[in-house]
Amino acid sequence: MKDLHDPYRFPDLAPLFNPASIAVVGASDKEHSIGNHTFRNIVEHSKFTGRLYPVNPKQDQVMGLRAYPDMASLPEPVDVVVIVVPAQFVAETVEQAGARGCRFAVILTSGFSEADDWGIAEERKLVEIGQRTGIRIYGPNCPGLVNLNIPLGMSFSPAFKTDLAPGAIALATQGGGLGRNMMQHNYRGMGFSAWSSSGNECDLQVADFVHHFAGDPDCKAIAILVEGFKDGPRFAAAARRAAEMGKPIIGLKVGRSEYGAKAAQSHTASITGSAEVNSTVFAQLGVIEVDDLDEAMDVAMLFTRKQPTGDEKVAVFASSGGAASLCADNVGTAGLTLSTFTPETTRKLAETLPSFANISNPIDTTSISISHPQALMDSLIACANDANTDLVLAPIPMDYGIYTEANARNFKTAQDTTDTPIVPIWFSEKTGEGYFELARSGLVPFRSLRNMGKAVRRWIDYGRYLQERDQTWTPLLLDTGVPGPATITRTLTEAEGKAALAAAGVPVTTPEVAATSAAAQEIADRMGGPLAMKIVSAQITHKSDVGGVMLNVDPAAAAAAFDTIMASAAAARPDATLDGVLLEPMAPAGGVEAFVGVARDPVFGHVMTLGLGGIYVEMFHDVTRAMLPVSQAQARRMIGKLKSAKLLSGYRGQPPRDLDALAKLVATVSDYVAAHADRVEEVEINPVWVGAGGEGALALDAVIVVRD
Amino acid sequence: MKDLHDPYRFPDLAPLFNPASIAVVGASDKEHSIGNHTFRNIVEHSKFTGRLYPVNPKQDQVMGLRAYPDMASLPEPVDVVVIVVPAQFVAETVEQAGARGCRFAVILTSGFSEADDWGIAEERKLVEIGQRTGIRIYGPNCPGLVNLNIPLGMSFSPAFKTDLAPGAIALATQGGGLGRNMMQHNYRGMGFSAWSSSGNECDLQVADFVHHFAGDPDCKAIAILVEGFKDGPRFAAAARRAAEMGKPIIGLKVGRSEYGAKAAQSHTASITGSAEVNSTVFAQLGVIEVDDLDEAMDVAMLFTRKQPTGDEKVAVFASSGGAASLCADNVGTAGLTLSTFTPETTRKLAETLPSFANISNPIDTTSISISHPQALMDSLIACANDANTDLVLAPIPMDYGIYTEANARNFKTAQDTTDTPIVPIWFSEKTGEGYFELARSGLVPFRSLRNMGKAVRRWIDYGRYLQERDQTWTPLLLDTGVPGPATITRTLTEAEGKAALAAAGVPVTTPEVAATSAAAQEIADRMGGPLAMKIVSAQITHKSDVGGVMLNVDPAAAAAAFDTIMASAAAARPDATLDGVLLEPMAPAGGVEAFVGVARDPVFGHVMTLGLGGIYVEMFHDVTRAMLPVSQAQARRMIGKLKSAKLLSGYRGQPPRDLDALAKLVATVSDYVAAHADRVEEVEINPVWVGAGGEGALALDAVIVVRD
């Protein structure tokens, strides 16, 4: 029952993050208990000004507040019920909370689907209660939820009270440990608007929090850490929403290797999906994929400084020749562009800096950072106000104590003169007061040149994504959802597959099947030659392995070829039922071969794979992928991303290939799968013959797997 | 004048690092002067027990020590003269020091070749003084030299006194800023044996320090940071020495991008060379190339723990499910192997850990790190003593204060039970007492999972390098040195080039040149067909661009083809002198094409490049490189490294290619260049035809560039 405008009916999570009233079931005065930690985090370490009710039948008061024996006795249906009672009492509590009209249950308790069969069953019960009573469930098996702009921590974590830096980064994770790791980036100067850590996600999931953060004015960037998406299309819809709102999502997905996928699956009981497909989906949705947690924070930090346009040019401002060189080196390896200073900037730099300084980009002021701090600041101001410069990178290789501290203050003064972000890279392991001066001033440093290069690259790329978004967006094939794994599938014969594709408008060689040698001869005489002839049998997939394929057959020899093929196949596979031999015209000589495939990913649904020829796919993994549907324009873009694309554009004196025809074929295959998304599991067309310009493209083979 | 056993006559640097006597010329009591900083670093912050002489004609005493007016009045010829006087007095001082019989001059003063023409000339003067008097020169334009095992700092740096952690990592850099950055890794627990920062390197250079550290028992790993090698072959010889001594070199070379190369060149006036060649040379010499400074330190740290065998299997030991998953993920993406625990280990883990813990690799103890520290330690001991495990990775995602501190102490206890290194990965930005407890115990943590993966991979690969070293080592072509850039070069004609190769034993098609159509016909009749015919002209390099190539010519049509080629070439290039037309038999159909090239790198000399066919080289940059000489066995290894190698081993039903013949051709080309190393600048054979097994390989074209 999906609404056309909001098929996923994303919940309004404002009352969860900014509740007017909270009940804590299991709140306790008992030292070191989870209930005590949790309640103390709200009472002592939060600045929650709403109504707070401890629920504990064994105490009249908890931490001086009147306690209630159960949900029914609460003076009002609260926005959020935080539950820290043992697992066996959780369902009963949620049932009561739902009946009382409470809106959200935050279940911190562990021992559910992550633990055993009882827990799996109990979690199903929770889902059912939620659907029946309308209460939405957060957790179970999670450390809680944090809103740092109040601050409010509905969490048992002993680290909550130390990780309180507010800021513009929203964080959505599943597990708690890695989320806490990201929160502890506040020790390097990062600030957070909120952190959801949704544990087993029996109801609310990362997608819901992404959707919420997308609409949260306190948030400028959303960082997510995911072990497995509970509902891929739901995430895709939320990510679309974030992109519409101009909110970048920075994503790290565990499971890029088999070890990781297996471990994440065992840890979270999620389907982790394919890493390649996940990267494809991230790229297509504008989710910025990172390789490590610190990289996620680096990119998020840049977005809190400024929104990128996609065309940024950078200046390097250093007081060490080595740092200038190494930073410029990383600028280059990251594919960034150094700005060329205007004559005015160059004049100012020449006036300010000593003659032995390097005043072109990368700037090396030499050691004036110690001897002439004023000149350092003036030259930084000149650099940062340069009309051709969009970002100033200031590598600081070491801590010189009070000198560095003084320069840090001057950095802030320089930043106040311009909108161009000045971003220090403090890559010494020694962080002194100078570091924290920068961080406090909002100039949070990168911690390595490598990370700087990666982060700035990703930041600029997102600007480019926003530029191109309108041209590349198509409606996602999300409303079909992703049906569960197919239990019974059937592979169509080549003739059936080609007929299905032909009916959908895909150009295919038109095969005919002969059941006898006489019929083969009749068909061959009509078609003319040369011909391709292949065995037809539902049991035989690899036709050439059984002597079942003959190419370039002269029409006059068709009857003999029929007999040969049937005899070979019968000898090789006596078990198989042979339906006859397929005949079709050979494709014209001299074409380029392409590969077009569609497979259903268990998380994100149908994904297309495109490549040129077996060699490039097999040896160099030179393929591009996209979620369906793929338009003709998108297909052209996909082709352009192949390293082997120049084979199509007139390589070594060959004529340019019919790119339009290939792109149209790809889009038509996409339309075919979209129209039969509930039934088609897999399409593989290998090869697609691609002729010279105007000659068209032609599916020479087709394997289609359907649900029966 | 190169010694056969030590062609580079590496100096004995022991008296430089462990001097018995030091004079400081320019030592001063004047506060904040360089001379004061430098002398104070020796007197107050070092523990130097040798004889120390301040030289200053204006003071009778410096810091309470008797001062001498000049070098001549010193009571002895000292081991090291540290020079901090202004640039105009430096040469004079070195002259006196050399005359007095001093062994080393450490020149901290700037304003030499990095500054202006006067400085360039003055530096030449220093070199001349050194050669004449025998004094060896360190610098100029450098922050000095540090031996941390005394400690002794002959340096003006105000940071010397804070960066005093001794250890097993030796550091050789050129510039001071980035070197100081690496030294400041002592704030994360690293320790150093020594640091050379050799500045302009007018005499002693990184290669000399690498050679010295290779023989220093205090050093287990050598980290180098280089902007430009002064003498490539000298570095190669030093690196060989380090490999012989089993001392890994971890190298970061600035100049991996054009921006970086240009900046480094302007900063150091060094030739930076090609990044691809540098990576080739590093790999061939076993130098572990890293991408950033922190990576260099990560790898070095591992070597201070244990020498790798190349076959290490790792265990992951975590107390957070997310950390276990993400760590395992990084283990996988780095291509490492998780160990499979023995039944005994599994039994112990099952006894020690709760039932909901994950006791297979990666281990997730769950939150017992807080509740049951003893169980945590016992399970870590079981894991670290597992017979199948060579390295234990312990990801720690966050700091839990006193709990983490207690666990850190237990880590040390566990480490004491085994030789298998336990390596924590402390990837929180919050470093508390727990962190420093680990670092102090010698269990210096990695700071990110990404870096862990990279470092362990590099560490294990070095073990493999040592395993295979003996099979792959050949004498380097170093004794030829690298002559300066060629000013006048000449490109041999195809016929000349093939003749030269043929004489060296390289199988080539045997061409003949016809000056007239009648001669062409005579040659064609004799050769038989089909033939390749190509224009011969010293002015025409791209023969097919001028209609100068005809392939598969029938011998009967040779005279006509001659006329056509000559006419086309004359029309297209009326300026060119046409010497005639070359005829040769076409290579048999069906071969695979390879590319073999040799070029002279300005830093490291002749380097071979090998690839298969133009498509793979151009589109996928699928080439391998090696310094000469390349033996036949090495050529086989090079071929095996190509992604396209499977095209040679019988791809898609094609016969396997004649790998032996290709490898032999490569080795013969190498021998040819080695024999003419002073004259041959460049060889390009494109294509090399490679037949099926036993059919051989054949150079179908040859471009050779020589010095005239």
Side-chain angles (χ1 to χ4, degrees), chain B residues 340-362:
Chain B
T340 305
F341 296 141
T342 64
E344 193 196 343
T345 305
T346 303
R347 188 179 49 74
K348 282 188 193 161
L349 289 169
E351 282 169 13
T352 316
L353 291 172
S355 63
F356 46 89
N358 186 359
I359 61 167
S360 63
N361 197 358

PDB file of all heavy atoms in Angstrom, chain B residues 340-362:
ATOM      1  N   THR B 340      42.848 -20.015  10.770  1.00  0.00           N
ATOM      2  CA  THR B 340      41.823 -20.933  11.265  1.00  0.00           C
ATOM      3  C   THR B 340      42.353 -21.506  12.572  1.00  0.00           C
ATOM      4  O   THR B 340      43.398 -22.148  12.597  1.00  0.00           O
ATOM      5  CB  THR B 340      41.585 -22.081  10.264  1.00  0.00           C
ATOM      6  OG1 THR B 340      41.260 -21.504   9.004  1.00  0.00           O
ATOM      7  CG2 THR B 340      40.458 -22.989  10.728  1.00  0.00           C
ATOM      8  N   PHE B 341      41.634 -21.273  13.668  1.00  0.00           N
ATOM      9  CA  PHE B 341      42.152 -21.674  14.976  1.00  0.00           C
ATOM     10  C   PHE B 341      42.226 -23.193  15.092  1.00  0.00           C
ATOM     11  O   PHE B 341      41.404 -23.916  14.522  1.00  0.00           O
ATOM     12  CB  PHE B 341      41.263 -21.128  16.093  1.00  0.00           C
ATOM     13  CG  PHE B 341      41.242 -19.623  16.164  1.00  0.00           C
ATOM     14  CD1 PHE B 341      40.069 -18.940  16.448  1.00  0.00           C
ATOM     15  CD2 PHE B 341      42.396 -18.879  15.951  1.00  0.00           C
ATOM     16  CE1 PHE B 341      40.042 -17.551  16.512  1.00  0.00           C
ATOM     17  CE2 PHE B 341      42.383 -17.490  16.017  1.00  0.00           C
ATOM     18  CZ  PHE B 341      41.198 -16.830  16.299  1.00  0.00           C
ATOM     19  N   THR B 342      43.205 -23.638  15.859  1.00  0.00           N
ATOM     20  CA  THR B 342      43.292 -25.067  16.142  1.00  0.00           C
ATOM     21  C   THR B 342      42.129 -25.459  17.059  1.00  0.00           C
ATOM     22  O   THR B 342      41.562 -24.603  17.749  1.00  0.00           O
ATOM     23  CB  THR B 342      44.599 -25.422  16.873  1.00  0.00           C
ATOM     24  OG1 THR B 342      44.597 -24.771  18.148  1.00  0.00           O
ATOM     25  CG2 THR B 342      45.819 -24.973  16.075  1.00  0.00           C
ATOM     26  N   PRO B 343      41.788 -26.774  17.074  1.00  0.00           N
ATOM     27  CA  PRO B 343      40.712 -27.225  17.981  1.00  0.00           C
ATOM     28  C   PRO B 343      41.017 -26.849  19.437  1.00  0.00           C
ATOM     29  O   PRO B 343      40.111 -26.483  20.185  1.00  0.00           O
ATOM     30  CB  PRO B 343      40.717 -28.739  17.791  1.00  0.00           C
ATOM     31  CG  PRO B 343      41.283 -28.949  16.420  1.00  0.00           C
ATOM     32  CD  PRO B 343      42.272 -27.849  16.207  1.00  0.00           C
ATOM     33  N   GLU B 344      42.292 -26.877  19.793  1.00  0.00           N
ATOM     34  CA  GLU B 344      42.654 -26.547  21.163  1.00  0.00           C
ATOM     35  C   GLU B 344      42.316 -25.091  21.483  1.00  0.00           C
ATOM     36  O   GLU B 344      41.760 -24.779  22.539  1.00  0.00           O
ATOM     37  CB  GLU B 344      44.150 -26.805  21.380  1.00  0.00           C
ATOM     38  CG  GLU B 344      44.552 -26.794  22.840  1.00  0.00           C
ATOM     39  CD  GLU B 344      46.066 -26.664  23.014  1.00  0.00           C
ATOM     40  OE1 GLU B 344      46.804 -26.894  22.038  1.00  0.00           O
ATOM     41  OE2 GLU B 344      46.480 -26.290  24.125  1.00  0.00           O
ATOM     42  N   THR B 345      42.680 -24.198  20.564  1.00  0.00           N
ATOM     43  CA  THR B 345      42.369 -22.777  20.755  1.00  0.00           C
ATOM     44  C   THR B 345      40.859 -22.584  20.852  1.00  0.00           C
ATOM     45  O   THR B 345      40.347 -21.867  21.733  1.00  0.00           O
ATOM     46  CB  THR B 345      42.926 -21.949  19.583  1.00  0.00           C
ATOM     47  OG1 THR B 345      44.315 -22.206  19.458  1.00  0.00           O
ATOM     48  CG2 THR B 345      42.672 -20.465  19.795  1.00  0.00           C
ATOM     49  N   THR B 346      40.145 -23.224  19.952  1.00  0.00           N
ATOM     50  CA  THR B 346      38.689 -23.078  19.924  1.00  0.00           C
ATOM     51  C   THR B 346      38.087 -23.537  21.249  1.00  0.00           C
ATOM     52  O   THR B 346      37.172 -22.899  21.802  1.00  0.00           O
ATOM     53  CB  THR B 346      38.115 -23.891  18.749  1.00  0.00           C
ATOM     54  OG1 THR B 346      38.735 -23.430  17.549  1.00  0.00           O
ATOM     55  CG2 THR B 346      36.607 -23.720  18.641  1.00  0.00           C
ATOM     56  N   ARG B 347      38.619 -24.649  21.763  1.00  0.00           N
ATOM     57  CA  ARG B 347      38.118 -25.163  23.041  1.00  0.00           C
ATOM     58  C   ARG B 347      38.369 -24.136  24.149  1.00  0.00           C
ATOM     59  O   ARG B 347      37.481 -23.807  24.939  1.00  0.00           O
ATOM     60  CB  ARG B 347      38.814 -26.485  23.353  1.00  0.00           C
ATOM     61  CG  ARG B 347      38.253 -27.245  24.561  1.00  0.00           C
ATOM     62  CD  ARG B 347      38.981 -28.573  24.792  1.00  0.00           C
ATOM     63  NE  ARG B 347      40.435 -28.458  24.801  1.00  0.00           N
ATOM     64  CZ  ARG B 347      41.161 -27.928  25.807  1.00  0.00           C
ATOM     65  NH1 ARG B 347      40.555 -27.453  26.880  1.00  0.00           N
ATOM     66  NH2 ARG B 347      42.479 -27.875  25.728  1.00  0.00           N
ATOM     67  N   LYS B 348      39.596 -23.591  24.179  1.00  0.00           N
ATOM     68  CA  LYS B 348      39.904 -22.611  25.227  1.00  0.00           C
ATOM     69  C   LYS B 348      39.021 -21.379  25.119  1.00  0.00           C
ATOM     70  O   LYS B 348      38.561 -20.831  26.127  1.00  0.00           O
ATOM     71  CB  LYS B 348      41.378 -22.187  25.108  1.00  0.00           C
ATOM     72  CG  LYS B 348      42.342 -23.201  25.678  1.00  0.00           C
ATOM     73  CD  LYS B 348      43.756 -22.618  25.695  1.00  0.00           C
ATOM     74  CE  LYS B 348      44.789 -23.696  25.952  1.00  0.00           C
ATOM     75  NZ  LYS B 348      46.143 -23.275  25.544  1.00  0.00           N
ATOM     76  N   LEU B 349      38.802 -20.912  23.885  1.00  0.00           N
ATOM     77  CA  LEU B 349      37.967 -19.722  23.703  1.00  0.00           C
ATOM     78  C   LEU B 349      36.542 -20.012  24.162  1.00  0.00           C
ATOM     79  O   LEU B 349      35.890 -19.182  24.806  1.00  0.00           O
ATOM     80  CB  LEU B 349      37.975 -19.289  22.232  1.00  0.00           C
ATOM     81  CG  LEU B 349      39.297 -18.686  21.730  1.00  0.00           C
ATOM     82  CD1 LEU B 349      39.272 -18.539  20.208  1.00  0.00           C
ATOM     83  CD2 LEU B 349      39.561 -17.334  22.391  1.00  0.00           C
ATOM     84  N   ALA B 350      36.067 -21.214  23.845  1.00  0.00           N
ATOM     85  CA  ALA B 350      34.695 -21.575  24.232  1.00  0.00           C
ATOM     86  C   ALA B 350      34.567 -21.630  25.752  1.00  0.00           C
ATOM     87  O   ALA B 350      33.532 -21.244  26.312  1.00  0.00           O
ATOM     88  CB  ALA B 350      34.319 -22.924  23.607  1.00  0.00           C
ATOM     89  N   GLU B 351      35.616 -22.106  26.403  1.00  0.00           N
ATOM     90  CA  GLU B 351      35.583 -22.167  27.871  1.00  0.00           C
ATOM     91  C   GLU B 351      35.617 -20.782  28.499  1.00  0.00           C
ATOM     92  O   GLU B 351      35.040 -20.556  29.557  1.00  0.00           O
ATOM     93  CB  GLU B 351      36.813 -22.936  28.378  1.00  0.00           C
ATOM     94  CG  GLU B 351      36.709 -24.439  28.242  1.00  0.00           C
ATOM     95  CD  GLU B 351      38.061 -25.123  28.511  1.00  0.00           C
ATOM     96  OE1 GLU B 351      38.981 -24.448  29.029  1.00  0.00           O
ATOM     97  OE2 GLU B 351      38.173 -26.316  28.182  1.00  0.00           O
ATOM     98  N   THR B 352      36.318 -19.867  27.830  1.00  0.00           N
ATOM     99  CA  THR B 352      36.584 -18.562  28.436  1.00  0.00           C
ATOM    100  C   THR B 352      35.492 -17.537  28.153  1.00  0.00           C
ATOM    101  O   THR B 352      35.155 -16.721  29.015  1.00  0.00           O
ATOM    102  CB  THR B 352      37.927 -18.013  27.907  1.00  0.00           C
ATOM    103  OG1 THR B 352      38.888 -19.054  27.911  1.00  0.00           O
ATOM    104  CG2 THR B 352      38.400 -16.852  28.744  1.00  0.00           C
ATOM    105  N   LEU B 353      34.983 -17.565  26.956  1.00  0.00           N
ATOM    106  CA  LEU B 353      34.070 -16.496  26.524  1.00  0.00           C
ATOM    107  C   LEU B 353      32.620 -16.919  26.676  1.00  0.00           C
ATOM    108  O   LEU B 353      32.294 -18.104  26.659  1.00  0.00           O
ATOM    109  CB  LEU B 353      34.370 -16.123  25.072  1.00  0.00           C
ATOM    110  CG  LEU B 353      35.721 -15.418  24.857  1.00  0.00           C
ATOM    111  CD1 LEU B 353      36.010 -15.256  23.367  1.00  0.00           C
ATOM    112  CD2 LEU B 353      35.740 -14.065  25.557  1.00  0.00           C
ATOM    113  N   PRO B 354      31.712 -15.938  26.812  1.00  0.00           N
ATOM    114  CA  PRO B 354      30.295 -16.269  26.964  1.00  0.00           C
ATOM    115  C   PRO B 354      29.725 -16.896  25.692  1.00  0.00           C
ATOM    116  O   PRO B 354      30.306 -16.779  24.620  1.00  0.00           O
ATOM    117  CB  PRO B 354      29.632 -14.910  27.240  1.00  0.00           C
ATOM    118  CG  PRO B 354      30.612 -13.869  26.821  1.00  0.00           C
ATOM    119  CD  PRO B 354      31.965 -14.485  26.916  1.00  0.00           C
ATOM    120  N   SER B 355      28.600 -17.551  25.832  1.00  0.00           N
ATOM    121  CA  SER B 355      28.038 -18.314  24.712  1.00  0.00           C
ATOM    122  C   SER B 355      27.661 -17.421  23.538  1.00  0.00           C
ATOM    123  O   SER B 355      27.694 -17.850  22.391  1.00  0.00           O
ATOM    124  CB  SER B 355      26.807 -19.086  25.182  1.00  0.00           C
ATOM    125  OG  SER B 355      25.810 -18.162  25.602  1.00  0.00           O
ATOM    126  N   PHE B 356      27.313 -16.162  23.817  1.00  0.00           N
ATOM    127  CA  PHE B 356      26.909 -15.286  22.705  1.00  0.00           C
ATOM    128  C   PHE B 356      28.104 -14.592  22.043  1.00  0.00           C
ATOM    129  O   PHE B 356      27.949 -13.809  21.111  1.00  0.00           O
ATOM    130  CB  PHE B 356      25.871 -14.264  23.159  1.00  0.00           C
ATOM    131  CG  PHE B 356      26.218 -13.588  24.463  1.00  0.00           C
ATOM    132  CD1 PHE B 356      26.966 -12.428  24.493  1.00  0.00           C
ATOM    133  CD2 PHE B 356      25.785 -14.134  25.674  1.00  0.00           C
ATOM    134  CE1 PHE B 356      27.299 -11.815  25.693  1.00  0.00           C
ATOM    135  CE2 PHE B 356      26.110 -13.527  26.882  1.00  0.00           C
ATOM    136  CZ  PHE B 356      26.872 -12.374  26.897  1.00  0.00           C
ATOM    137  N   ALA B 357      29.310 -14.873  22.509  1.00  0.00           N
ATOM    138  CA  ALA B 357      30.496 -14.328  21.844  1.00  0.00           C
ATOM    139  C   ALA B 357      30.747 -15.098  20.553  1.00  0.00           C
ATOM    140  O   ALA B 357      30.279 -16.213  20.376  1.00  0.00           O
ATOM    141  CB  ALA B 357      31.709 -14.441  22.758  1.00  0.00           C
ATOM    142  N   ASN B 358      31.496 -14.481  19.638  1.00  0.00           N
ATOM    143  CA  ASN B 358      31.900 -15.174  18.419  1.00  0.00           C
ATOM    144  C   ASN B 358      33.328 -15.663  18.605  1.00  0.00           C
ATOM    145  O   ASN B 358      34.258 -14.863  18.691  1.00  0.00           O
ATOM    146  CB  ASN B 358      31.805 -14.237  17.218  1.00  0.00           C
ATOM    147  CG  ASN B 358      32.085 -14.995  15.928  1.00  0.00           C
ATOM    148  OD1 ASN B 358      32.356 -16.206  15.947  1.00  0.00           O
ATOM    149  ND2 ASN B 358      32.026 -14.303  14.817  1.00  0.00           N
ATOM    150  N   ILE B 359      33.499 -16.998  18.679  1.00  0.00           N
ATOM    151  CA  ILE B 359      34.826 -17.528  18.992  1.00  0.00           C
ATOM    152  C   ILE B 359      35.580 -17.989  17.753  1.00  0.00           C
ATOM    153  O   ILE B 359      36.680 -18.507  17.858  1.00  0.00           O
ATOM    154  CB  ILE B 359      34.758 -18.682  20.019  1.00  0.00           C
ATOM    155  CG1 ILE B 359      33.931 -19.836  19.461  1.00  0.00           C
ATOM    156  CG2 ILE B 359      34.197 -18.193  21.347  1.00  0.00           C
ATOM    157  CD1 ILE B 359      34.071 -21.109  20.254  1.00  0.00           C
ATOM    158  N   SER B 360      34.986 -17.804  16.578  1.00  0.00           N
ATOM    159  CA  SER B 360      35.787 -18.065  15.382  1.00  0.00           C
ATOM    160  C   SER B 360      36.384 -16.739  14.929  1.00  0.00           C
ATOM    161  O   SER B 360      36.018 -15.676  15.400  1.00  0.00           O
ATOM    162  CB  SER B 360      34.933 -18.714  14.299  1.00  0.00           C
ATOM    163  OG  SER B 360      33.915 -17.841  13.890  1.00  0.00           O
ATOM    164  N   ASN B 361      37.332 -16.812  14.040  1.00  0.00           N
ATOM    165  CA  ASN B 361      38.082 -15.642  13.591  1.00  0.00           C
ATOM    166  C   ASN B 361      37.266 -14.871  12.549  1.00  0.00           C
ATOM    167  O   ASN B 361      36.935 -15.454  11.523  1.00  0.00           O
ATOM    168  CB  ASN B 361      39.410 -16.141  12.989  1.00  0.00           C
ATOM    169  CG  ASN B 361      40.445 -15.062  12.862  1.00  0.00           C
ATOM    170  OD1 ASN B 361      40.196 -13.911  13.178  1.00  0.00           O
ATOM    171  ND2 ASN B 361      41.614 -15.451  12.360  1.00  0.00           N
ATOM    172  N   PRO B 362      36.896 -13.602  12.695  1.00  0.00           N
ATOM    173  CA  PRO B 362      37.278 -12.659  13.744  1.00  0.00           C
ATOM    174  C   PRO B 362      36.524 -12.875  15.055  1.00  0.00           C
ATOM    175  O   PRO B 362      35.302 -13.054  15.052  1.00  0.00           O
ATOM    176  CB  PRO B 362      36.875 -11.302  13.143  1.00  0.00           C
ATOM    177  CG  PRO B 362      35.705 -11.609  12.255  1.00  0.00           C
ATOM    178  CD  PRO B 362      36.008 -12.970  11.686  1.00  0.00           C
TER     179      PRO B 362
END
